[in-house]
Amino acid sequence: MADTYDLIVLGSGPGGYVAAIRASQLGLKVAIVERERLGGICLNWGCIPTKALLRSAEVYHYMTHAAQYGLSVEKPSFSLDKVVDRSRKVAGQLNAGVKGLMKKNKVAVHEGVGTITGKGKLSVVQGDKTTELTAKHIIVATGARARDLPFAKADGERIWTYRHAMVPPAMPTKLLVIGSGAIGVEFASFYNDMGAEVTIVEMLDRIMPVEDAEVSEFMTKQLTKFGMTIKTKTGLEKLEATASGVKAAMKGPDGKVETAEFSHAIVAIGIVPNTENIGLEKLGVTTDRGHIKTDGYGRTNVDGIWAIGDVTGAPWLAHKASHEGVIAAEAIAQALGNKDVHPHAMDKGNIPGCTYSRPQVASVGFTEAKAKEAGYQVKVGKFPFIGNGKAIALGEAEGFVKTVFDAKTGELLGAHMVGAEVTEMIQGYVVARQLETTEAELMETVFAHPTISESMHESVLAAYGRALHI
């Protein structure tokens, strides 16, 4: 006889496990199905362990530049195995934390490969054991995987995806990073700080193409200053693993093909949603290039089937998945008769993006160019970190904050930052957008001194010709 639930969540990443917790809080009987490790890719192989690696690289960078702070460190070195081991232990600690949260919230955990076999039906296969589950509602939260090059599959030895790059078999000496989104730039930053010679190849006309153009330009200058080679408008024609490394053929903007050799290559050209072979086709769930189509609450076109996170398309971010999980759980509870929940549809315009490289990048809302394309007349403010006392004291005076306002209403259309700790600071502007704050409230807000966040205030003032420290 099948185990019966109000809700089954297929996938336990930051969208799935959060959805399960919220549904349980609302009194639903919930099960979660996971084929690998609780916490999904983000916690085990993505967001969290990469930040542990980047922290090690940051500390190592400060060690090698100790003299700038009046300090002395003799012959700084590192053990790659120990750096990786620390990262894996951080992931393991959080994986155990998710297990604890499932137990605390009385969420039944079913380990194995889950397949939707019919309306409200799901089977879980673990080895030679099959468990049948039924539920009024099912949330698909199966995430995504790294996209391979069609002509050069990742082998884990010389050609890596992000997963291989987190547990490297050896330290690269000369690294090729293919793709300059957040994942590519973060790994480029990590390995560059650890001593590798890094080249980034990007097909488009600038790196980090989803960011504001001024941020992309600044990052190009900074990463080049740090010793990286940046090749934009450059396509990869061929990538071949050899006994000693990889050989790459790259077609530049002039049409000429250049061949170069590297010790390793990281492929960071996007993701593929995990929507195959889980029963969606049989039910007639609508997809677009593999991504499940949903409304703002996570509903698909099939009654009782919901989807959240990377399987639903851009932006492919953990915090977007978590928020979608909460929305979907509340909408399901409402559909089951809970009159005390009032979910709101997801507003993707208020989702922040963060890149944890050195320097960091963070943004929310419209870029200047996108705001103009949308028909807004804009006021733009920009404030450099060189005018901020805390940034100078930290030795992190390179960076800036840029804000974009609607000239007619004062609405904060977008904010863009590059520099130290901006991934923490961006939340101030996210809250401001969520509260529909205008320039008037931001100007009247008191920012603590000395903090780098004062640059946020100055950027707002600058948009209206009132900056105080430039």
Side-chain angles (χ1 to χ4, degrees), residues 126-150:
Q126 176 79 311
D128 57 1
K129 178 185 176 184
T130 300
T131 304
E132 301 296 336
L133 310 177
T134 64
K136 300 180 180 80
H137 297 271
I138 296 172
I139 293 177
V140 178
T142 46
R145 62 190 183 275
R147 184 181 298 277
D148 265 319
L149 287 167

Side-chain angles (χ1 to χ4, degrees), residues 128-185:
D128 57 1
K129 178 185 176 184
T130 300
T131 304
E132 301 296 336
L133 310 177
T134 64
K136 300 180 180 80
H137 297 271
I138 296 172
I139 293 177
V140 178
T142 46
R145 62 190 183 275
R147 184 181 298 277
D148 265 319
L149 287 167
F151 51 83
K153 302 289 185 183
D155 59 16
E157 292 296 323
R158 295 292 176 178
I159 303 173
W160 298 344
T161 64
Y162 64 84
R163 195 155 175 165
H164 304 122
M166 279 188 288
V167 287
M171 178 66 193
T173 54
K174 191 175 181 182
L175 176 67
L176 176 65
V177 177
I178 304 158
S180 71
I183 292 174
V185 169

Side-chain angles (χ1 to χ4, degrees), residues 14 99 104 115 163 165 207 216 254-255 257 268 270 291 304 320-322 348 360 362-363 369 392 422 438:
K99 288 181 181 177
K104 174 185 175 183
T115 306
R163 195 155 175 165
I207 64 169
S216 293
D254 58 1
V257 177
H291 290 98
K320 174 250 195 183
S322 294
K348 293 184 178 180
Q360 296 178 7
S363 60
I392 295 170
V422 297
T438 68

Side-chain angles (χ1 to χ4, degrees), residues 153-416:
K153 302 289 185 183
D155 59 16
E157 292 296 323
R158 295 292 176 178
I159 303 173
W160 298 344
T161 64
Y162 64 84
R163 195 155 175 165
H164 304 122
M166 279 188 288
V167 287
M171 178 66 193
T173 54
K174 191 175 181 182
L175 176 67
L176 176 65
V177 177
I178 304 158
S180 71
I183 292 174
V185 169
E186 285 183 2
F187 278 113
S189 181
F190 169 73
Y191 281 109
N192 183 72
D193 277 348
M194 301 302 283
E197 182 183 337
V198 177
T199 297
I200 297 176
V201 172
E202 171 57 58
M203 288 187 65
L204 299 179
D205 61 354
R206 58 188 176 95
I207 64 169
M208 307 190 79
V210 302
E211 300 294 344
D212 188 87
E214 288 190 83
V215 171
S216 293
E217 181 182 1
F218 181 89
M219 284 295 288
T220 299
K221 290 178 180 177
Q222 287 298 103
L223 298 183
T224 301
K225 178 182 174 182
F226 297 157
M228 296 190 206
T229 299
I230 310 290
K231 294 180 178 291
T232 55
K233 297 182 183 178
T234 300
L236 194 70
E237 299 285 293
K238 187 177 181 182
L239 186 68
E240 179 185 6
T242 67
S244 58
V246 292
K247 186 180 292 186
M250 298 168 284
K251 187 175 183 179
D254 58 1
K256 295 181 180 178
V257 177
E258 169 195 359
T259 301
E261 295 189 6
F262 302 86
S263 67
H264 300 81
I266 296 175
V267 179
I269 56 172
I271 59 96
V272 179
N274 295 322
T275 50
E276 313 99 321
N277 305 316
I278 59 173
L280 300 180
E281 300 87 354
K282 183 179 178 181
L283 289 173
V285 175
T286 301
T287 61
D288 180 11
R289 289 171 291 183
H291 290 98
I292 301 172
K293 297 189 72 172
T294 63
D295 66 7
Y297 297 87
R299 298 184 186 91
T300 70
N301 64 304
V302 176
D303 186 46
I305 302 295
W306 306 67
I308 60 173
D310 288 355
V311 292
T312 66
W316 298 283
L317 299 168
H319 44 281
K320 174 250 195 183
S322 294
H323 198 70
E324 285 180 326
V326 170
I327 292 170
E330 292 183 351
I332 289 168
Q334 187 181 60
L336 292 174
N338 189 324
K339 297 179 180 179
D340 296 323
V341 290
H342 307 282
H344 293 83
M346 169 68 82
D347 180 357
K348 293 184 178 180
N350 287 343
I351 301 173
C354 296
T355 302
Y356 299 82
S357 51
R358 188 177 63 83
Q360 296 178 7
V361 175
S363 60
V364 66
F366 287 101
T367 64
E368 180 180 354
K370 289 292 184 183
K372 290 177 178 177
E373 286 178 19
Y376 289 100
Q377 294 179 9
V378 299
K379 284 184 177 291
V380 177
K382 186 176 172 184
F383 188 83
F385 280 13
I386 193 64
N388 178 269
K390 180 68 177 293
I392 295 170
L394 291 177
E396 301 284 0
E398 293 184 323
F400 65 83
V401 177
K402 178 178 179 178
T403 45
V404 183
F405 290 91
D406 182 344
K408 293 181 179 179
T409 67
E411 177 189 355
L412 175 63
L413 298 175
H416 309 275

